[in-house]
Amino acid sequence: MPYCVVTAAATVAGGAHAQEAEEVRIFYQRYGHGATKVLLIIGTARLAHFPSSFMLLFFLFRSVSWAKGDRAALCKISSPINWDAGFAGTYESWGPQVKGLTGAVEPVDEEAPAGDDSGAAEGIEVCCFDNRGMGRSSVPANKSQYTTVIMAKDALALMDHLGWLKAHVVGHSMGSMIASKLAAMAPDRVASLALLNTTGGGYQCIPKVDWHTISLACRFLRARTPEQRAILDLEVHYTKEYLEELVGSSSRRQVLYQQYVKGLSSGGMQSRHGFDGQMNACWTHKLSTKELDKIRLAGFLVLIIHGRYDVVAQLYYARRLAEKLQPTAKLVELHGGHLVSHERPAEVNMSLMEMIKASKSNTDLEEWSNFPKKSEAGSLRTGDGDSAKYLIVTYKLLGKLQLILLFFFGAFYFILEHTRRTLRVLKPVRVSASTL
């Protein structure tokens, strides 16, 4: 089995006060052959996206489920399944991109040397892996061992293990947070950077509060079985139009649902340690101004791809990040949801190939960017500085208000459900005369 062993010293922070930690093994697979190296970093398990979008509501629900002993029902939803469904937060989720970039569907025989590129100089070699806490990789018990910095070090250790000096780094969702940290920590190891359905972590993981997200949250809290939650998970990650498309005689919703439920019966569940740890990584992630400058000034191209109808990660934050990374960043908006890499694989793969080719040809950064030049943007902003600052402050306040509303809504629903259960238990049982 292909594993990269990450030493404790590389994963546990704290200097002289660092604690002894168990050995962490990262499971990976390689596909294709070639001098061009691409590292794909996936995000969290599918239902682990719910804390990203309904953070407090889901935490409240999760605590009830664990208290009722519903651990298996909750965790089974994040079990790995086939590439077509793409609902596992494991390396398998990159199936459409692996096939699109390399043409391969079977992994490389690990008996062959990782650096053997003879006869395939123009080809592409892809490596994707399971993050710590998921799939076949190790699951540290301590939540502090899950941060985007630590997980970026895992990715760098994997590159060292493979003998890759440089790679085109691609991340999705939480994987994009890890990829951006990697780029800030070791910009000399990055040939180009692609961030799919990304956010800045923390409060940016919370969606804009509207009737659609509130409806999804309420329906999710009412769902009692993994199968019921599977239906909602489809609606969270894909657009309605995509789910209603016909695939033969069935709708894509029916096909994906059948694949999803089939995956629930397969082995492998994300443990509570992995679940909590990955949520900690998302919630504590933040890119400082210094880190953003390192990425912006490193000289490599940045590609940000986002679904316009993403419920999990707001498009607004992807646009803001692209603006902060000018003139190196290009923003591509596609008609899709959070799993735009599955919903629009051809467009995503084409954009990734365009980025790789542009990097090889040393395309000028300003030619790569599709944002207005700074001089043009500056002239548009002249005299509007105070207004812009006011809008930013207002937006931040609204974001905090959303968090407060979600908390109170979740707490109200939590209390209501417990009250109903208590009354149901205390309700007297009627005994007929015939039984006496």
Side-chain angles (χ1 to χ4, degrees):
M1 298 292 282
Y3 283 97
C4 167
V5 178
V6 183
T7 62
T11 60
V12 180
H17 302 287
Q19 298 177 351
E20 192 71 22
E22 70 269 23
E23 191 176 73
V24 175
R25 291 158 56 86
I26 303 298
F27 177 82
Y28 69 92
Q29 292 282 21
R30 294 187 297 121
Y31 298 85
H33 294 278
T36 301
K37 312 297 184 182
V38 179
L39 184 68
L40 303 177
I41 309 177
I42 195 57
T44 55
R46 293 283 74 79
L47 266 187
H49 278 309
F50 272 99
S52 298
S53 55
F54 308 116
M55 184 75 72
L56 296 175
L57 292 176
F58 191 82
F59 278 164
L60 287 168
F61 164 76
R62 189 196 61 183
S63 64
V64 176
S65 298
W66 282 94
K68 293 192 300 179
D70 194 23
R71 174 181 177 275
L74 180 63
C75 294
K76 274 186 180 178
I77 302 177
S78 56
S79 59
I81 62 178
N82 64 64
W83 276 6
D84 292 331
F87 274 90
T90 68
Y91 76 94
E92 294 174 302
S93 293
W94 286 114
Q97 282 61 59
V98 168
K99 187 175 181 180
L101 294 175
T102 68
V105 292
E106 294 296 328
V108 171
D109 181 4
E110 289 303 319
E111 295 295 324
D116 185 9
D117 301 320
S118 58
E122 298 302 317
I124 295 177
E125 180 181 343
V126 166
C127 178
C128 43
F129 61 97
D130 292 343
N131 284 309
R132 58 172 61 207
M134 190 59 204
R136 301 182 193 179
S137 291
S138 299
V139 184
N142 193 335
K143 188 167 68 174
S144 65
Q145 294 184 45
Y146 297 85
T147 67
T148 51
V149 171
I150 290 173
M151 295 164 95
K153 290 180 179 179
D154 290 344
L156 285 169
L158 177 56
M159 287 178 64
D160 292 339
H161 174 78
L162 296 172
W164 291 7
L165 297 178
K166 215 166 195 177
H168 300 274
V169 180
V170 183
H172 175 267
S173 194
M174 182 187 75
S176 69
M177 303 180 199
I178 298 169
S180 58
K181 279 291 181 183
L182 185 156
M185 291 163 53
D188 57 312
R189 305 291 299 274
V190 178
S192 66
L193 177 67
L195 308 174
L196 280 62
N197 297 85
T198 188
T199 73
Y203 73 91
Q204 291 188 19
C205 292
I206 299 172
K208 180 173 62 177
V209 177
D210 55 24
W211 289 115
H212 179 58
T213 53
I214 290 174
S215 172
L216 284 172
C218 291
R219 289 165 59 199
F220 174 71
L221 287 167
R222 289 198 301 269
R224 298 298 180 216
T225 66
E227 290 76 17
Q228 291 174 338
R229 295 171 204 143
I231 297 173
L232 295 172
D233 205 9
L234 289 173
E235 295 185 29
V236 167
H237 291 90
Y238 294 111
T239 59
K240 183 179 179 181
E241 295 86 347
Y242 181 74
L243 292 174
E244 291 178 352
E245 288 178 4
L246 289 179
V247 180
S249 60
S250 304
S251 70
R252 196 180 298 275
R253 184 193 302 271
Q254 292 171 319
V255 173
L256 289 172
Y257 175 76
Q258 290 168 2
Q259 292 172 340
Y260 197 125
V261 173
K262 182 180 178 181
L264 296 180
S265 61
S266 66
M269 301 183 300
Q270 186 181 27
S271 71
R272 184 175 183 177
H273 294 309
F275 183 93
D276 289 342
Q278 291 192 349
M279 288 308 97
N280 181 67
C282 289
W283 193 244
T284 58
H285 172 76
K286 184 179 180 181
L287 282 175
S288 66
T289 303
K290 186 176 179 180
E291 289 174 318
L292 287 168
D293 286 341
K294 277 188 176 181
I295 296 172
R296 185 171 57 84
L297 300 174
F300 52 75
L301 304 181
V302 178
L303 174 65
I304 298 176
I305 303 175
H306 212 93
R308 293 191 188 95
Y309 307 102
D310 190 343
V311 176
V312 179
Q314 291 190 58
L315 176 59
Y316 169 81
Y317 294 116
R319 288 173 176 166
R320 266 182 58 183
L321 179 61
E323 290 173 358
K324 291 177 180 178
L325 293 176
Q326 290 308 306
T328 64
K330 173 186 281 188
L331 176 64
V332 175
E333 299 178 17
L334 298 176
H335 185 93
H338 191 62
L339 280 175
V340 72
S341 56
H342 285 255
E343 195 167 342
R344 294 288 180 264
E347 292 94 324
V348 169
N349 294 342
M350 184 175 65
S351 295
L352 292 176
M353 286 300 300
E354 182 186 354
M355 177 187 72
I356 292 170
K357 290 177 180 177
S359 298
K360 287 182 177 180
S361 61
N362 295 318
T363 299
D364 183 73
L365 294 178
E366 293 193 355
E367 288 181 15
W368 169 253
S369 174
N370 56 358
F371 275 71
K373 302 292 186 294
K374 282 193 173 182
S375 57
E376 298 173 12
S379 63
L380 291 174
R381 289 194 297 265
T382 303
D384 294 334
D386 293 337
S387 299
K389 288 179 181 178
Y390 174 76
L391 289 173
I392 291 171
V393 171
T394 303
Y395 190 87
K396 287 182 177 180
L397 288 174
L398 288 174
K400 292 179 179 178
L401 180 61
Q402 288 181 13
L403 182 61
I404 294 170
L405 288 173
L406 280 172
F407 174 79
F408 281 111
F409 179 80
F412 172 77
Y413 197 94
F414 178 79
I415 294 169
L416 180 64
E417 284 295 302
H418 270 281
T419 303
R420 287 174 58 187
R421 291 193 190 96
T422 303
L423 292 175
R424 197 177 296 123
V425 171
L426 296 178
K427 186 177 180 179
V429 179
R430 293 184 180 181
V431 180
S432 63
S434 61
T435 60
L436 297 175

